[in-house]
Amino acid sequence: MSERSGLFAGDDPFAIALAWLSEAEKSEINDPNAIALATVDAEGLPNVRMVLLKDIEEDAFVFYTNYGSAKATELEQSGKASFVMHWKSLRRQIRVRGEISREEGEKADEYYASRSLKSRLGAWASQQSMPLESRGALMAEVAKVTATKGPNPSRPPFWGGYRIKPVEIEFWADGAFRLHDRFVWRRRGEQDNWSVLRLCP
């Protein structure tokens, strides 16, 4: 597709995503890796929240959370998710839809170990999405965990990653007169080849 040059050039959508994120890291004030993650509950009601994308692999996007959280429950029920990553400074966004699998191995351990001690202890202390009596109760639990887990806590068994393997990735860039540029990459499954289409703005 000869039109797909410049920002959209290349045969690997993950390489394009990495290049866009790298550029955003130089211009976006806060959290250039923030994504709005969408799921659906058992009744089909949508849910969306901001999380931080922690890795773009050769075939997947990875983020981390508590496996007892509402988002994790919904991810496990449907096995699917979508997200949008938007950068105001670049006037660009990436939309992703795909299938979910857990990351509970060495990569999850490595990422957990890279977090600050307070964040690691917080992961142990918080029963994410569960009712909370007060902030004081949460801080008391943090103090308890600090006393019992020590300065190098291991990754909690209820905390880890999710990997989204896309069946669709859309790259969007702002255009003059709101005639934006949109290219969508689609495939039926992870073993299939991508097809690329330009979409109307």
Side-chain angles (χ1 to χ4, degrees), residues 46-170:
N47 235 334
V48 66
R49 78 289 286 160
M50 302 303 296
V51 302
L52 296 180
L53 185 70
K54 287 301 179 179
D55 198 9
I56 299 177
E57 300 177 338
E58 64 178 16
D59 63 348
F61 298 87
V62 184
F63 64 93
Y64 293 86
T65 190
N66 185 310
Y67 289 140
S69 66
K71 77 173 79 65
T73 298
E74 292 168 4
L75 290 168
E76 298 285 348
Q77 287 173 346
S78 71
K80 299 176 177 67
S82 64
F83 73 77
V84 63
M85 176 179 263
H86 175 72
W87 299 293
K88 287 187 176 181
S89 61
L90 298 180
R91 296 179 181 270
R92 289 183 225 163
Q93 71 179 27
I94 299 173
R95 294 174 59 230
V96 171
R97 303 169 73 209
E99 299 178 350
I100 289 288
S101 63
R102 283 195 183 192
E103 171 50 73
E104 303 180 278
E106 186 176 329
K107 283 196 172 185
D109 291 337
E110 288 176 357
Y111 171 63
Y112 180 79
S114 75
R115 304 177 88 205
S116 70
L117 177 58
K118 288 183 178 180
S119 293
R120 283 179 280 156
L121 293 170
W124 273 102
S126 175
Q127 298 181 44
Q128 196 174 102
S129 301
M130 295 297 105
L132 179 63
E133 178 185 342
S134 66
R135 184 164 185 83
L138 177 61
M139 298 314 294
E141 187 62 27
V142 171
K144 178 181 174 183
V145 166
T146 300
T148 57
K149 297 297 179 184
N152 190 28
S154 60
R155 179 174 62 87
F158 52 80
W159 190 96
Y162 280 105
R163 181 177 281 108
I164 302 179
K165 290 199 170 182
V167 294
E168 185 173 300
I169 306 175
E170 181 188 312

Side-chain angles (χ1 to χ4, degrees), residues 171-190:
F171 296 92
W172 177 101
D174 183 65
F177 311 110
R178 301 197 67 78
L179 299 178
H180 313 304
D181 289 307
R182 296 172 64 191
F183 287 94
V184 61
W185 298 63
R186 291 184 178 134
R187 62 183 178 182
R188 289 185 177 274
E190 61 181 282

